[in-house]
Amino acid sequence: QSSTFAGELGMASSVNRSGATGRTGSQKRPSPGPSGQIAHQSSGKRAKNIIDTDVTIRVNSLQKGNPLLNYLSNMPWTYDSKIEADYVVGRSACVLFLSVKYHMLHPKYLLTRMGKLRTKFTSRILLCQVDRANDEPLQDISRLAFVNGWSLLCAPSARECARYVETLKSFEAKSADSLKKKVDKYDNEKIFASMMTTIRSVNNRDVGTLATNFKTCKNVMQASVERLAVCSGLGPKKVRRIHQAFRQPFRPTKKA
């Protein structure tokens, strides 16, 4: 697919490669951004030092002509003909790019590419540009991603696709804690909700019901099964789970 971007998306030699500036392909192609320019156009020792850093996105050489590259302006990137993925955004994370239009023309392409990358990365992201308003091919893409263990991200434009690639790279070294919602340590209501929703099947509506009926966390923890059961919306399984959550040991005791 990568080698056919120019033909598929109508990007002939006179295509506009300069974004909003209105220049044609016969003129010197501008860099996609300051950071992208450094990684792509630098040479010699300077280029090696930049490419070796952990912030550089490695791009398959076959992606030349993909409009997505024009929008990679916040992270440095460089072409790499040795990688099999379209984009490498981490030591164990890769991105495979696909447009719905291309999938409609070449339905076997995606499965072939997935097979080559199956054992080479632990985090595999399929980035799909939804450039056709047709549900059937998108459903097929979703099915292939699910069956083969790929995470699917969909975007309506090349610009949005580029933002996904940059975000994946920027979060490469960050822990899951950075994505979790921050809870104010002085907000008792949010703390109570955060604690109670860790119990299986308990949702925010249940939290509101418990807060209204019991007023404090202590009262919920000490409530009997019969007292919990009178709360609307709490079925037998949910009542049992809430009751057991505050009475089971943190670590199961070993039988002698």
Side-chain angles (χ1 to χ4, degrees):
Q1 177 195 6
S2 305
S3 61
T4 63
F5 273 120
E8 175 196 343
L9 301 179
M11 297 183 63
S13 59
S14 60
V15 73
N16 182 344
R17 291 181 179 271
S18 59
T21 61
R23 298 178 182 177
T24 62
S26 59
Q27 294 173 299
K28 182 178 179 181
R29 180 184 178 183
S31 165
S35 51
Q37 178 184 16
I38 292 174
H40 184 204
Q41 297 182 355
S42 298
S43 60
K45 183 176 180 181
R46 183 186 178 196
K48 183 178 185 303
N49 291 338
I50 295 174
I51 292 172
D52 285 346
T53 61
D54 291 335
V55 297
T56 303
I57 300 170
R58 294 163 60 198
V59 181
N60 193 314
S61 299
L62 296 177
Q63 285 289 296
K64 291 180 180 180
N66 188 343
L68 182 156
L69 299 177
N70 294 328
Y71 301 105
L72 288 180
S73 57
N74 298 316
M75 300 286 290
W77 59 274
T78 182
Y79 287 124
D80 189 339
S81 60
K82 297 180 180 180
I83 63 174
E84 293 190 27
D86 290 332
Y87 303 89
V88 175
V89 293
R91 295 183 179 180
S92 60
C94 73
V95 174
L96 185 61
F97 179 85
L98 180 73
S99 68
V100 172
K101 178 181 178 181
Y102 192 87
H103 182 70
M104 293 171 67
L105 296 173
H106 308 278
K108 296 182 180 180
Y109 167 83
L110 179 57
L111 190 59
T112 302
R113 292 293 306 276
M114 284 181 169
K116 294 180 179 179
L117 298 167
R118 183 173 301 162
T119 60
K120 296 187 177 182
F121 294 90
T122 55
S123 297
R124 300 181 297 275
I125 299 98
L126 175 60
L127 181 57
C128 180
Q129 182 177 342
V130 185
D131 52 0
R132 286 292 181 274
N134 192 332
D135 291 338
E136 187 174 346
L138 190 56
Q139 290 174 359
D140 187 44
I141 292 171
S142 300
R143 180 185 61 80
L144 289 173
F146 178 78
V147 171
N148 291 279
W150 286 68
S151 300
L152 176 63
L153 296 175
C154 295
S157 65
R159 184 189 295 272
E160 292 297 323
C161 288
R163 295 291 82 81
Y164 271 126
V165 173
E166 290 179 333
T167 301
L168 290 168
K169 182 61 180 177
S170 65
F171 277 86
E172 173 192 2
K174 294 185 179 181
S175 65
D177 293 336
S178 62
L179 303 177
K180 294 180 180 178
K181 185 177 180 180
K182 299 294 186 294
V183 178
D184 187 351
K185 63 180 180 179
Y186 299 108
D187 192 330
N188 292 332
E189 185 177 351
K190 289 184 178 180
I191 293 174
F192 177 67
S194 177
M195 179 187 71
M196 293 303 299
T197 51
T198 60
I199 301 174
R200 184 180 177 185
S201 73
V202 175
N203 54 41
N204 289 326
R205 180 178 294 181
D206 299 327
V207 172
T209 299
L210 292 170
T212 300
N213 284 273
F214 294 99
K215 308 302 181 184
T216 67
C217 181
K218 179 180 178 180
N219 291 338
V220 175
M221 296 170 68
Q222 295 178 344
S224 64
V225 172
E226 293 76 14
R227 181 70 180 87
L228 290 169
V230 300
C231 297
S232 64
L234 298 183
K237 288 185 178 180
K238 196 173 292 187
V239 166
R240 186 174 66 253
R241 287 169 181 165
I242 295 173
H243 186 263
Q244 291 178 348
F246 300 110
R247 288 161 179 79
Q248 291 180 338
F250 290 113
R251 296 179 180 177
T253 55
K254 295 181 179 180
K255 296 182 179 181

